[in-house]
Amino acid sequence: MTLTAENVFDKLKEELGDAILNYEFKEYKMGVKKPRTYKEIWMEIDKNAFRRAIEAIFKIEYPHLHFITGEDIGESIRMIYSFGLFHEHPWGEVSIVIKFDLPKNKLVLPTITDLMMGAETNEREIREMLGVEFDGLKNKRHLFLPDDWPEGKYPWRRDEYGVDDMIKHTHKSVKDIREERGEQNG
Amino acid sequence: MAKTTYYVPIGPIHPALKEPIRVEAEVEGEKIVKVDVKRGFAHRGIEYMGMKRNAIQTLYLSERICGICSISHPYAFVIGSEKALGIEAPPRAQYIRTIIAELERIHSHILWLGVIAHEIGFDSLLFWTWKGREKVLDILEAITGNRINYSMYMIGGVRRDLKESHIRVLKDMITYYWEFTEHMKEVFLSDPVYKARTRGVAQVSKDVALKLNLVGPTARAAGLRMDIRQDIPYDAYADIDVKAVVPQDIVGEARGDAYDVTMVRIYEIEQSLDIIEYCIDNLPEGKILAIPNYIALLNKIKKTEGEGIGAHEAPRGEVVHYFRYDGTRDGPAVWKVIAPSYNNINSWGYCLLGAEVADIPVVVAYIDPCMCCNDRVAVVKDSTGKILDYSILHRKAVEKTRALEKELGVMK
């Protein structure tokens, strides 16, 4: 049996209480001849309640993980988790997006790989790209970046830990490099 | 005598792999006892490039993520952007988008059937299936102007209209492929050798598919009724009530192996034919673009703040794009792409354990992997450990050409 977006939210609210800082139901109209609306739940939560929120979702039904991503917003990293519930039912999927800010001086999150093995890929990517450490993640090998990638450089970061210096170097022209070396141009 | 294991590295460049990925297997005799997969050989940092461009430029960049499913990424892109920006595509455009997406599913599935036949060693079957695939590619070329990278979609509609002559060829095509899929069922599903080679290979149960977060035909073959076109319908799919194709509906049980994946793909081609037929019979009249002026569209994007998720059921599984427009730039401030292979490669480690070395190509091919979708930085070092950047590599290439010219005596 499926639940509506409102019912799912009520269940999450019961578990999380005040840890939900902000929420919104986004409504979209889909279809031309038989237009119907479907709703997505977008909520901002307290970062300390993250594990509780994930467990609450798993309690309702085993979800499908759409993606995990993060954004460097200055002082902190905004994490975004997107799950889909009731994905085996026509028109029934309830999409839940959970957002929270993680301060840069304490970039640690509990892993969800113990609940869902498939989340390993996502967590490994976030770890190497943003430098977020996942507590309990077993395989900490690089996913996309080479094994000898310089430590402490995270491609998605926009601060001093990002790869700006490397990118600048990549776009240097042959002329610039020859000038730096004192070689003759031409 | 103590057991000895051997380390078999496959890739990143290997004749059995069409694209670069490294499978590191440890074998004991013929059995695989440990597997690790290394990706990232085709990572191009496309999301980073997209965040430096305007939305229309990024849309066409997204099409370059993958060549085979070159409509899947723009489809998720336009849906996500439309949700974030509050734009609605006209009905006619929605139907045309669906037709193009289904045409692509047909060509992609037939391509995969050829690939799996090749991996098993039936090269004549590869040639036969790919010959059959030409028809849909010709139609895609007639409608969009290109066999690949169609540049058809736009935020808020499509760029080309469907003419009466296109509808005529589409109807011919439907008759042709109904016959073609009947042949394919005979050749693939009834063939004892094909069955022996794929039954029980790359087997995933429904429970494991759920835990490994698998998507698309790979998950459906395991019995999971999961299809974005059914779960979160969009465009014309919302009118059609698409039902996920699962083996239990066809033969009564789902075993989740390479044979079931073949079955799901063949039946999905038939489903696509039905969808195209519905769309051309019910094609609404009207305009094809919500905001026909691109400057006006970019101006709207520049002034709109919002975020959205676009999901499309690509031939290989779901493609999800996340967007955030910050209302100061005419392009996305954040863009995250998840391709089906990103999730489906998770199954390799599971399926290869205990399998035989000769099954590696089947296991690798059964999810229809796409490294270009999956990877989106490579660092090249010389023997002294110095990093070689683009300009040095370019210089080396030019030097080699010059040296060859000299050697061959063709220097001007």
Side-chain angles (χ1 to χ4, degrees), chain A residues 71 158, chain B residues 51 53-55 81 84-86 297-308 323-334:
Chain A
E71 183 195 355
R158 291 169 189 170
Chain B
M51 288 182 252
R53 285 161 170 78
N54 75 37
S81 296
L85 301 163
L297 176 65
L298 286 176
N299 274 333
K300 183 178 167 65
I301 296 170
K302 210 169 179 178
K303 287 177 199 140
T304 317
E305 219 176 308
E307 48 188 344
F323 290 93
R324 188 169 73 80
Y325 290 93
D326 59 1
T328 57
R329 294 184 47 237
D330 51 11
V334 181

Side-chain angles (χ1 to χ4, degrees), chain A residues 71 87 99 121 125 141 177, chain B residues 36 231 307 324 342 346:
Chain A
E71 183 195 355
H87 47 263
K99 299 198 287 185
T121 327
E125 188 186 13
R141 241 181 85 163
I177 293 170
Chain B
D36 198 1
D231 307 336
E307 48 188 344
R324 188 169 73 80
Y342 187 92
N346 290 342

